[in-house]
Amino acid sequence: MRKYIFLLLIGFSVISCKKEDNGESDNTYFWSPAIKIEKGDKEVKLYLSDPRPYTEYLIPPSDPDYFEIYYSDDLSSFSLFKKVDITTTSVSINNLVNNEPYYIYVTSNKKNFEPGFSDTLMTIPSAYTEPVVLSPDVNFTLNRVDLSPDKDYFSFVSYNCPVQNTSTDNLYYKSITTGSIGVIEEDVYNSDWSPVSNTVTYLSNIRVGNWIYPDELKTFDLATKTGNVLLKIDYDKYYVSSPVFSNNGNLISYLSSENSSSKYNYDLWTIDPATKVRTKISNFEAIGLTISGTYTWSSNGEYIYLSGYFNSGNSRNAIYKFNVSNRELSRVLSSDWSDSSPSVSPDNTKIAFISSRTGDGEIWLFNFVSGKYSQITGNSAYNFDSRYSNVQWIGNNEILITAYKDSTSKALRIHIE
């Protein structure tokens, strides 16, 4: 998928109340910096940027006088680290403890006004370990990378793979042994491997004018090089996305708005690849849950881990688990940040997910046994982009992700301690 560059409309300006004193004031409001964190070995670097070029304002804000940076290791007792000029673009905080969490926020200050507060960010410093590139000979952009269960092949989506000269995102497979690349289908998105065979499930697109719609839910058998249509989608009535094989490969789950009040209200459905019998297994619309990001089955098939937000609250994603048997939904992680796209390790002891805790989308980990978080990505060498990636466990201590380096997205294997 193309890596489009979006100008985010970020609401970082803080409306500040005028203090009741005898000082002068311009009786307006001022901007607060957009912030993000890069972790390092026993240190972190805080980046501050002026949001005004990327933000729409009814009335242009004035400049603050200065910033103050606060940090803590417990989310309660914050200490002032440094006062800096508003032209400051980065600040390093050193002498930290590796693998321990830290929390940082910035106040924006102006005479005769109450200070404005940024969001509080979270980071966990650690020494940098270079990830292993899954396929070093690939020099084109690839996204949505999935490794086959026998680890002999991987599938990926690309628009500039030299095998096909098209302007669409196509689904390919590559042999790790021979290096050969084959085309599964053109104009495809959302693929997943069966855990028990070299079979891929995916969604094909149909183009009508300038619009793209999900057209067919399919499987492709790599051994026989044959495809099978499981569901022809009536896209005038409903949409489908995100097919995922169940833990034993007997079912394929997918998100669908069939029988919903809107094409954008998705529920979980399953389909039997052999009989093509479909079953709606959730009723998220009734409880006001909007699903976002990717989801995964637990290795025992008891739960589906997913992310989303409730329409009655804020739009920050949280991570939940859905009990397949009794259809109950329960929250897995409590967070003030947006957490999405969970993926559970094969032994069900760890969950990897995408989080905005550092101000950017990064891969994080929560250990169910120890109750501790780990920050997996967050170094400057690679730019992780959550819009085009997925997290796949390839063992209990290794994940497969995609990240950008030198404007090319690569598949990376990262060891988990």
Side-chain angles (χ1 to χ4, degrees), residues 40-213:
D41 187 10
K42 299 180 181 178
E43 68 173 8
V44 297
K45 182 174 284 188
L46 175 68
Y47 290 92
L48 304 93
S49 61
D50 183 346
R52 289 178 296 177
Y54 313 106
T55 312
E56 292 183 342
Y57 299 95
L58 294 177
I59 302 174
S62 62
D63 287 335
D65 296 332
Y66 61 91
F67 302 136
E68 287 184 333
I69 299 166
Y70 292 82
Y71 83 109
S72 168
D73 60 3
D74 61 4
L75 256 184
S76 58
S77 55
F78 282 86
S79 301
L80 175 63
F81 174 72
K82 185 177 287 189
K83 176 181 175 180
V84 298
D85 185 82
I86 66 169
T87 61
T88 302
T89 57
S90 66
V91 176
S92 294
I93 303 178
N94 308 108
N95 301 315
L96 303 179
V97 179
N98 279 347
N99 304 313
E100 293 296 328
Y102 291 89
Y103 308 91
I104 300 171
Y105 70 82
V106 176
T107 63
S108 185
N109 301 273
K110 190 176 181 69
K111 184 181 179 181
N112 300 326
F113 283 84
E114 296 294 335
F117 290 80
S118 73
D119 286 341
T120 300
L121 301 184
M122 176 183 180
T123 186
I124 300 179
S126 64
Y128 177 69
T129 301
E130 183 71 21
V132 177
V133 178
L134 175 65
S135 188
D137 60 318
V138 170
N139 57 4
F140 51 86
T141 295
L142 66 167
N143 300 292
R144 189 69 205 193
V145 176
D146 286 289
L147 196 63
S148 66
D150 60 11
K151 297 181 174 60
D152 288 338
Y153 298 90
F154 68 90
S155 61
F156 62 93
V157 173
S158 178
Y159 71 90
N160 63 348
C161 176
V163 174
Q164 291 286 98
N165 184 21
T166 69
S167 60
T168 59
D169 294 318
N170 306 323
L171 182 61
Y172 303 87
Y173 66 89
K174 181 180 180 190
S175 168
I176 295 177
T177 303
T178 67
S180 62
I181 297 176
V183 183
I184 295 177
E185 189 165 333
E186 295 181 9
D187 213 353
V188 166
Y189 68 109
N190 290 154
S191 63
D192 185 61
W193 285 90
S194 165
V196 295
S197 66
N198 281 346
T199 302
V200 181
T201 183
Y202 61 93
L203 282 167
S204 63
N205 295 325
I206 187 170
R207 295 175 181 262
V208 181
N210 295 325
W211 298 93
I212 303 173
Y213 300 100

Side-chain angles (χ1 to χ4, degrees), residues 357-368:
R357 292 161 192 256
T358 65
D360 264 346
E362 302 287 356
I363 298 292
W364 283 70
L365 188 81
F366 181 75
N367 190 305
F368 291 124

Side-chain angles (χ1 to χ4, degrees), residues 19 24 49 198 236 260 290 307 331 334 346 350-351 354 391:
K19 295 180 181 178
E24 294 182 357
S49 61
N198 281 346
D236 284 332
S260 297
T290 297
S307 58
R331 188 159 179 171
S334 296
K350 298 178 285 292
I351 184 170
I354 300 169
V391 184

Side-chain angles (χ1 to χ4, degrees), residues 149 192-197 199 244-253 270-273 297-303 324:
D192 185 61
W193 285 90
S194 165
V196 295
S197 66
T199 302
V244 176
F245 272 101
S246 63
N247 62 303
N248 55 15
N250 291 338
L251 295 172
I252 294 173
S253 58
T270 61
I271 187 169
D272 186 320
W297 288 70
S298 62
S299 61
N300 59 10
E302 185 177 355
Y303 296 103
V324 179

Side-chain angles (χ1 to χ4, degrees), residues 226-247:
T226 57
N228 183 28
V229 177
L230 303 183
L231 171 63
K232 178 68 176 178
I233 301 161
D234 188 351
Y235 56 83
D236 284 332
K237 296 180 179 179
Y238 64 92
Y239 295 151
V240 168
S241 70
S242 307
V244 176
F245 272 101
S246 63
N247 62 303

